[in-house]
Every structure is written in structure tokens, then in C-alpha cells.
Amino acid sequence: MPKQAVISGNMAAAYAAKYARVDVIAAYPITPQTTAIEYLSQWVASGELDAEFVPAESEHSAMTICIAASASGARTFTATASQGLALMHEMLYIASGLRTPVVMMIGNRSLSSPLSIWNDHQDSMAERDAGWIQMYAENVQETFDMGLMCYRVGEDSRVMLPAMFCIDGFFLTHTYQNVVLPDQEQVDEFLPPYSPKYRLDPSNPIAMGTVGDPRWYMEFAKQKVEAMEAARGVVEEAHRDFEKIFGRRYDPFIERFHCNDADYIFITMGSVSGTFRHVVRELRKEGASVGLVRIRTFRPFPYEELREAISGAKVVGIVDRSISFGAMKSCGPLFLEVRAALYEQEKKPKTVNLILGIGGRDTTPSMVRECFKKLESVDERREFDVFWIGLRE
Amino acid sequence: MIREGAGFRELPPAAIVPEPGTSLKNKTGSWRIFRPVVDREKCSKCRICWLLCPEGCKIELEDCFETDLDYCKGCGICAQECPYKAIEMVLEEGSSIA
Amino acid sequence: MSIKLSELPAEDYFLPGHRACAGCGAAIAIRLILKVAGPNTIVASATGCIEVISSLYPENAWGVPWIHTAFENAAATASGVEAAYKVLRRKGKISHDKVNFLAIAGDGGTADIGIQALSGMAERGHNVKYICYDNEAYMNTGIQRSSSTPYGAWTTTSPPGKAIPIGKREVKKDVARIMVAHGIPYVATASIGYPLDLMRKVKTALEIEGPAYIHVHTPCPTGWRFESNKTIEVARLAVQTGMWVLYEVKQGRLRITYKLSKLKPVEEYLRTQGRFSHLTDDDIAKIQEDVRKRFEEFVEGYRQLGVSVEA
């Protein structure tokens, strides 16, 4: 029988790896992800989980070990954040290039300098072009579910890409919520054993990680694109199966809240969505025409779903917890992607970029109301604005 | 086998070479300026040239070791190291040294 | 245990058609190492000479499964393969009983950028045999100095000039000694000038459970500036002059595997190579004095690391 448990986001991520019957875990401690790998090492030590726990000497090696283990036919898991993810950067491209479906939990955390252990999305946004599936969870249940989803989608033979599920540092990694943990048999049904077509095996010697000169490199880059595009259908299919097996339903790419008739729509990702949903509900009661779109799957980017959800609105407020320094008015990366998705539309909403929660700055309901005022007061004739919310002048 | 000029739909993923030893089609013998010539009388089949060849292109015959000229780059280690001085490096026809 | 030339198998697992320079010392080392390791082997290569000359797509010079991920992480890559095999075997998903896991990297990939991953692999005790082929500079990028480049050598980034006449001002990093300090079951130095000794050491490493480190001196005609037929001769001279000492530390016991009663003058070694051609008689005298001192203090230095010494 599925059981209920009050657990943290980090524990939910660890449970996802455990229920996935992970073979190799390689990791390096970094706040706020650390307790996730502590749980896994405890389960390996107690014999509760039959896996190799490799305490790597750096995140770079942790990712390398996962890639090589995956290339050898093992299901792998790692978790990191911030500087650790930045140190892995080189290997992230290699993971997707070698088509090794490593699964990684990110405890989203700001990037130095100044040093900050607190939450924003600068770390994972910096890796958005690395060829990884990227998903963002809002609560602890979703963290667990997304962990399983990452294995299912990444290991699909049509995809074979690494996948990261991102949960907000502290807001989710260290928050305890009531979660339903499934039966192992349900997970086994959802997630078939990992069996890649090619793996390192002396009875069938192959070479992996060769030199691709200009006669060849582009073809392999295009294969990666094809895999990422194929992931769109696989993500949907996996969510359908997920609902069938576990009884929980998610919109695969974007979750809509009061969007159908809304003049004003926020677009968010991650745990801040809860605060926005709460305020949207209040504003609705007050008679405002406002809605919310929460992006769950960021890579592949749901541009069609977004267009459909927001093109009827007057103004869309895109919430970024990251900054693309030197982009148009130094807006956030999510803003860039959403704007680009709207370009082909004849009827486009005005867009506003709301940058908030940088370096762990708390986002309160009153700040969300301030955001709403920014949307309401948009001047039709003006070019877009980038507003920093919660910033001292 | 990977077909020269194959498109991305045909190629195995991730630049994997799904079989061993495909370098054999790369005939590095064309790099050679000097060619090893063995004196079959002097060769005692001690295997030193075979052991030390960077290409692994020494072939054991009944009475001596010969060189697989498809791959021999003409480094001359075999001639230098042969304890019986049974190998001589001769300039390839058409080659010249400044 | 010994290796007999007459009994070596004909089969190679580092195959012709590779694109190493004529007379490449590293290619000799890798071919001989793979001959000992045999078909039940998986190789993880660091970026570097051996990697690029063996894997220009779709050419694959390997006869065994081979993986390259990046430059600084051959040890971590091999660790990952080994960890996967360990657990998959335990879970009954893999039937191979004994697979050799080799990590292969050059001196840059070992002594410089890869030393952290190497140290981690050794400390964690992976059953990986790490081979460093030491051609004493970044040869793949065109002869730049590494921490393994010897004192006084010309490279493109340690060029002798009016202000710095010596070339490389720093002494060669002693990675084998660093690995001995890790306390792993087997550490050895080797040279392609002594191929049977090299092969015996590889065999020994493969037979011992746990991490092993073998540092192989592999002269490079292109980067050291000598004729391609002199590779083995230069390698031998390095040993005979005491510039490169052959030894092994097995389970904490040191054995000098090529004992010299009398060193040849270092000049005999240095003068074979264009990279040392700028050295003055005084420079050579200093190098000679350093070699003499290092040689005399060699055994004592290892005693201080807690290693016992075989007669």
C-alpha cells in the first residue's frame, strides 16, 4: 500500500532515486542539497538500498563518475547546487553528448560572488543550453514525482538524455510536507530497468567519446536536438502513464491557474508559484482578472503550450529568479524565452519582466501585489520594463 | 561500419564507434619516408623489433619478421634496436630529404 | 613473476592506423600495456595525445571498450566504470568475473589538471590501474611545459631567453612519490627503454586488488627534439644516467627494479635532445649534482614516507 510520510524535499529526491533502484550514486556535499545524499549514503550503509555510493572528491568527478557508470549500464543519481553545478558545467555537455541519462537533483542556489547559500535560479539557468531535460518542482510531492519522471523520460530510447529536477534551496529542500510514497511495484511498472543500446562491455568493444572533426560534429549536435524534441512527446506520454499508475495528474509542461479569461497572467517556476497562486486567488476574490502559469518542464521549452495559455491576455508578467546580464535591459532568461515564443503571434500581450528573490530574498504576498500593480499600470506605448521587486534603491 | 558521409539519422548516437579497430582503414604507411628492409639471413627472430614497434606492424614470417608497410611510418626504431643489425632503413622511392 | 619475450601473445588491443607521430614513445607503452591487460579490459582515457591519435571518428584504434570524457578526469571516469561493474555484478546484471579497469593519461592529465581526480580515485580505493604516460610536456597542444617537465627543458612556454636562460626553472613534480604517500597497494615507475620490466609491473598491478599507479617514462621525438629512431635509446639513457629511476612500492615495500652501481653522466642523456641544447656546462653540472643527490637520498626519502626497503 502506498504510505504517507512527512519528509523534506531533499529526502523526497533521495527517495525518488531509491524507488528507481539506482545503481550508482556519486556526489559531493554542498548546501542546500547535502541531506539528499546523506540519506542515500545511510540507506546504502544500512543495506536498505543496494547501490554503490561513491563519495567523489569534487562535483566535477561526481558527474564524471555518473556519466561513466551510466555508459557502463548503471542507473545513476547525483545532486548538487550552485558552485557545484557550475563546476560540473563541462561535464554536463559531455553527459548529453554521450547520451548518458544521468539524473540529478538541483537544490537551486545563487552563484558567488558574493557567496550565497540561498535560493534563486541562477545556477540551473546557466545550464539551460547543456542538453539536459530540466524540470522545476513546486512542492515535496512533486519533487519525488519529478525524480521518477526524469528517469522515465531521460532513459527512453527516443530520448537518452540526462535530466535534472530543480527544487528551490531551503524553500523546498528543507521544507517538510506530507507526501504519498508509492509501492515499489508501482514504480517498477512506471520505470522499466535501464538497458541502453550501447554500453562498455568487453564482449562487444565500442569506443565512446571520440574526436568529432568538422566532417561529423554537426550531425551529432543535430541528433541531440532530435532527442530533445522527441522528449516533448515522451514527457506527455510519461505523464499519462504516471496518472494511470499513481493516480496523480500533472500538466506535463505548464500548469494553468485561472488563465482562461485572465487579462493579466503571471508566469513562474518553482516554489514561489505558491505565493503567487495565493495572491492570485485573493485578487480574483477582489474582482481582478488575473491568472498564473507555472512552468514545470523548462527543457524542452513549452513554447506552444505557453502561447496558447497567454496569448489572450493583455499583459503577462514573467517572473525571473535569475538574470541574463547584458541581455535586453539585462532581463531574466525566462523572459527572453517567453518573449521569443510570442514573436510569431499576431496578437501579443505586453510583457513585463519581474526579477525577484535573487540571492534568497524572500518574496512576500505584498510583493506579489506590487507585481500585479506593475502589470496593471503598463503603458501600451512603452517598450517592456524590467522591474526588480524587493530591491532597496 | 560507419558510412563516410552518412547523415545524422543513419549514424549511431553520440559519436560512438560501435566496433573495435576501425583505425585499420587508416593506412599510415603513406607517411613514410624511410622504409625498413630486413636482411633475412641476419634476422634471428628475437622479437625485439616486434616488441618495440609503436605501430605494432611487425609480422612474424617463418624465417624472419617483416614489416606491414600499410602502417609502418618509417620511424626506424626497429633498425636502431635490432641486436643483429638485420634491418636497414632505405629512402622510399619518390621521397627526398632536404 | 617475470615476463618472457618469447611467450608474449601476438594479439594487440592498441591497433595500427593510429595517428601518433613516427617513433612515439607513448604509443609503444600503451600497446605493450594493453598486450598484458588483454581483451577483458575497459580503458578510460584522458584528453591528450593517446586519446586524439586513437579516436578520430570513425577511426577507433582500440581493441577493447574505451571511453573518453574530458581531460582532468580519467581517474574519475575509470572510477565510474568500476563502480558500475561492481554493483551490476552484485545485482546479477553482468556476468563478467574479472574485468581490468585502466585509466590512461599523459603527464598534464596526471600531474597537473588530473591530480585531484587521481587522488580521489586512489583514496576511495577503486580497483583501477592508472597509467601515466609521461612525455614531459603538453605534447598534444604543441609542447607546453607541465609540472612534469624537467628542470632546464625548453618548451614553447618555458623558452630560454635573455632574462630566463635556463628554460624551465622548476624541477619535475614527483607524482609516483605522491601516490606512494596515498598508501595504495601498488605504485611503480617504468620506462619503455625497459619494456619487459614495464609489462611485468602492469601484470603485477592487475593481479593486486585495489588501486595501482604506474608512471611510464615515454620519450617524445617531436617535443624533445630527437630523431624518431632514438626513442628507446633516449628512454634507456634516462634510466642509466639516473634521470629516471625504476622502482616499485608493493604493499608498502620498496624495490629498486633497475639497480645501477654507477651512473652514466647526465650529459649523455641531455645531449641527445634538442630541448636541452641551450644548457651550458655549468647548467649541466648543476643537473648532475641534483641527480647525484637525489639518487643518494632516494631510499632514505622513501623510508621517511614509511616505506620499508627490500635489499
Side-chain angles (χ1 to χ4, degrees):
Chain A
M1 279 290 288
K3 58 174 190 263
Q4 303 233 340
V6 178
I7 60 173
S8 67
N10 276 343
M11 194 176 214
Y15 264 126
K18 180 171 183 282
Y19 275 87
R21 300 186 188 274
V22 63
D23 297 308
V24 174
I25 304 140
Y28 188 85
I30 186 169
T31 305
Q33 153 283 129
T34 310
T35 58
I37 59 158
E38 285 176 356
Y39 295 127
L40 287 163
S41 70
Q42 284 160 14
W43 293 331
V44 170
S46 70
E48 211 177 316
L49 172 61
D50 187 6
E52 281 298 301
F53 183 88
V54 186
E57 81 295 335
S58 74
E59 288 90 351
H60 192 283
S61 283
M63 181 48 62
T64 301
I65 289 162
C66 285
I67 292 168
S70 182
S72 309
R75 183 170 282 164
T76 63
F77 180 78
T78 188
T80 193
S82 182
Q83 309 308 122
L85 184 59
L87 186 60
M88 284 181 183
H89 172 76
E90 176 192 29
M91 299 313 297
L92 299 187
Y93 278 75
I94 292 167
S96 58
L98 291 177
R99 309 293 294 278
T100 45
V102 175
V103 169
M104 168 159 64
M105 184 273 268
I106 305 296
N108 279 112
R109 168 182 151 182
S110 200
L111 285 169
S112 291
S113 178
L115 187 148
S116 164
I117 60 167
W118 294 276
N119 164 238
D120 64 30
H121 291 167
Q122 291 189 75
D123 53 357
S124 55
M125 278 291 126
E127 308 302 342
R128 63 191 183 275
D129 292 339
W132 283 59
I133 309 278
Q134 258 195 16
M135 297 185 178
Y136 290 78
E138 185 191 344
N139 57 46
V140 177
Q141 181 73 62
E142 196 180 16
T143 299
F144 176 82
D145 296 345
M146 258 184 196
L148 298 182
M149 195 60 74
C150 280
Y151 284 109
R152 167 70 188 256
V153 174
E155 292 175 3
D156 189 286
S157 62
R158 294 160 287 181
V159 180
M160 289 298 280
L161 286 174
M164 62 175 85
F165 57 113
C166 304
I167 71 175
D168 285 326
F170 298 113
F171 295 123
L172 257 187
T173 56
H174 289 63
T175 293
Y176 285 72
Q177 288 176 341
N178 195 6
V179 161
V180 178
L181 292 173
D183 283 341
Q184 184 64 53
E185 293 72 35
Q186 290 176 289
V187 178
D188 293 344
E189 188 190 345
F190 179 66
L191 201 57
Y194 174 50
S195 56
K197 185 172 178 200
Y198 296 101
R199 63 177 200 87
L200 298 169
D201 177 359
S203 45
N204 183 26
I206 62 167
M208 291 183 88
T210 56
V211 179
D213 73 13
R215 292 173 301 162
W216 300 101
Y217 188 97
M218 271 184 90
E219 279 67 27
F220 296 111
K222 182 62 175 174
Q223 284 184 346
K224 229 156 106 170
V225 168
E226 292 284 300
M228 188 58 93
E229 291 303 317
R232 295 181 192 280
V234 175
V235 167
E236 282 184 14
E237 190 181 295
H239 277 80
R240 276 198 299 274
D241 274 6
F242 187 91
E243 187 184 353
K244 245 183 263 164
I245 294 167
F246 300 100
R248 266 188 306 285
R249 187 187 170 281
Y250 293 99
D251 287 311
F253 291 98
I254 60 169
E255 182 190 87
R256 300 164 180 84
F257 183 67
H258 287 309
C259 280
N260 287 344
D261 60 341
D263 289 335
Y264 303 99
I265 294 178
F266 291 114
I267 299 179
T268 59
M269 287 201 304
S271 65
V272 81
S273 309
T275 312
F276 272 82
R277 193 182 296 105
H278 167 72
V279 174
V280 165
R281 197 179 282 126
E282 283 186 352
L283 288 168
R284 276 275 168 182
K285 280 184 202 153
E286 294 162 22
S289 177
V290 59
L292 171 72
V293 168
R294 175 171 74 95
I295 296 178
R296 300 182 66 248
T297 304
F298 179 75
R299 285 286 182 267
F301 189 71
Y303 61 102
E304 285 175 334
E305 291 83 353
L306 271 170
R307 262 186 215 153
E308 191 241 307
I310 65 176
S311 55
K314 281 187 193 153
V315 184
V316 176
I318 298 131
V319 176
D320 263 296
R321 312 228 23 235
S322 183
I323 306 152
S324 187
F325 297 95
M328 308 187 297
K329 299 187 181 179
S330 288
C331 64
L334 186 56
F335 182 75
L336 283 174
E337 300 254 356
V338 175
R339 290 260 304 186
L342 292 171
Y343 185 80
E344 305 293 341
Q345 297 293 99
E346 270 183 37
K347 186 172 169 293
K348 307 185 199 15
K350 291 292 284 183
T351 54
V352 173
N353 194 195
L354 303 155
I355 290 180
L356 50 80
I358 299 298
R361 182 70 47 90
D362 198 17
T363 302
T364 62
S366 67
M367 285 181 193
V368 178
R369 282 179 176 272
E370 186 190 336
C371 289
F372 183 61
K373 284 203 184 91
K374 300 286 188 203
L375 303 200
E376 277 187 316
S377 57
V378 160
D379 182 341
E380 279 292 325
R381 292 154 301 176
R382 246 181 82 81
E383 209 190 15
F384 71 92
D385 278 308
V386 178
F387 296 109
W388 284 51
I389 307 297
L391 173 78
R392 293 184 304 277
E393 287 281 339
Chain B
M1 266 309 268
I2 288 153
R3 192 173 62 81
E4 199 70 29
F8 73 88
R9 291 185 202 285
E10 178 186 330
L11 291 168
I16 285 170
V17 182
E19 56 192 320
T22 55
S23 62
L24 288 165
K25 72 170 190 214
N26 185 34
K27 300 291 167 65
T28 52
S30 63
W31 301 11
R32 196 172 53 244
I33 296 169
F34 289 95
R35 175 166 43 102
V37 176
V38 65
D39 181 338
R40 294 187 173 210
E41 296 293 307
K42 287 188 186 167
C43 176
S44 78
K45 294 190 71 180
C46 71
R47 292 187 122 192
I48 289 286
C49 63
W50 169 84
L51 182 71
L52 297 177
C53 176
E55 313 310 319
C57 69
K58 293 293 178 182
I59 305 160
E60 185 168 1
L61 303 179
E62 213 165 291
D63 59 339
C64 71
F65 274 86
E66 256 303 350
T67 308
D68 185 343
L69 293 174
D70 275 354
Y71 302 106
C72 171
K73 295 169 186 165
C75 70
I77 288 176
C78 54
Q80 179 75 19
E81 296 300 323
C82 175
Y84 303 95
K85 303 283 168 225
I87 302 170
E88 191 189 352
M89 299 303 289
V90 297
L91 196 61
E92 282 285 357
E93 270 177 52
S95 291
S96 60
I97 39 171
Chain C
M1 178 174 42
S2 69
I3 294 265
K4 288 200 177 71
L5 179 52
S6 57
E7 291 170 8
L8 288 175
E11 291 78 22
D12 274 323
Y13 301 94
F14 184 68
L15 297 162
H18 68 71
R19 293 167 176 270
C21 306
C24 173
I28 297 171
I30 301 308
R31 177 176 159 249
L32 298 184
I33 289 163
L34 267 287
K35 200 181 265 299
V36 177
N40 238 3
T41 298
I42 300 176
V43 172
S45 275
T47 310
C49 284
I50 287 297
E51 175 259 332
V52 300
I53 59 102
S54 66
S55 72
L56 181 65
Y57 188 84
E59 291 164 18
N60 168 22
W62 300 88
V64 294
W66 177 85
I67 181 170
H68 157 252
T69 65
F71 194 0
E72 64 278 58
N73 60 356
T77 306
S79 297
V81 177
E82 186 254 13
Y85 264 74
K86 210 166 158 184
V87 62
L88 294 178
R89 196 181 289 139
R90 195 165 66 224
K91 289 182 174 181
K93 294 181 187 173
I94 278 180
S95 52
H96 297 282
D97 295 340
K98 172 112 175 71
V99 178
N100 303 316
F101 304 103
L102 296 187
I104 296 177
D107 51 297
T110 300
D112 291 344
I113 200 167
I115 198 164
Q116 175 177 319
L118 169 59
S119 177
M121 179 276 278
E123 185 272 333
R124 290 189 302 267
H126 292 278
N127 189 24
V128 169
K129 318 304 165 185
Y130 189 104
I131 310 289
C132 170
Y133 61 94
D134 185 1
N135 50 27
E136 301 192 325
Y138 291 87
M139 297 316 186
N140 183 42
T141 44
I143 323 165
Q144 292 79 33
R145 63 87 85 188
S146 76
S147 61
S148 196
T149 302
Y151 172 84
W154 163 89
T155 69
T156 58
T157 52
S158 63
K162 218 180 234 176
I164 309 169
I166 192 67
K168 194 195 181 220
R169 287 180 286 190
E170 304 80 14
V171 298
K172 183 180 175 75
K173 188 189 277 184
D174 191 346
V175 183
R177 196 176 150 87
I178 294 170
M179 296 320 293
V180 170
H182 279 69
I184 57 176
Y186 190 71
V187 175
T189 59
S191 163
I192 54 163
Y194 297 84
L196 297 181
D197 177 67
L198 161 65
M199 294 169 93
R200 184 191 63 77
K201 284 167 175 167
V202 173
K203 192 156 187 267
T204 305
L206 290 170
E207 283 172 4
I208 297 172
E209 181 74 16
Y213 178 81
I214 302 179
H215 194 119
V216 192
H217 200 233
T218 57
C220 166
T222 308
W224 296 10
R225 304 299 198 224
F226 61 81
E227 292 291 329
S228 65
N229 62 345
K230 297 283 167 42
T231 305
I232 299 295
E233 191 179 315
V234 169
R236 268 196 306 263
L237 277 170
V239 173
Q240 290 166 358
T241 56
M243 292 286 290
W244 186 244
V245 182
L246 299 183
Y247 63 96
E248 65 185 359
V249 178
K250 184 177 167 185
Q251 313 285 18
R253 287 180 69 79
L254 169 73
R255 195 165 71 88
I256 310 283
T257 52
Y258 188 83
K259 290 201 178 76
L260 293 163
S261 46
K262 193 167 168 290
L263 297 178
K264 281 189 179 173
V266 291
E267 189 163 11
E268 285 188 31
Y269 172 67
L270 301 174
R271 289 301 182 212
T272 59
Q273 302 159 58
R275 63 174 173 161
F276 294 117
S277 61
H278 60 285
L279 297 183
T280 64
D281 289 348
D282 284 351
D283 295 335
I284 290 172
K286 180 184 157 17
I287 293 171
Q288 183 67 71
E289 179 54 22
D290 287 350
V291 166
R292 188 194 59 76
K293 202 159 163 267
R294 199 166 67 235
F295 202 74
E296 280 171 8
E297 293 167 3
F298 185 83
V299 167
E300 186 49 38
Y302 272 94
R303 279 213 178 89
Q304 285 170 11
L305 279 183
V307 167
S308 65
V309 180
E310 268 183 39

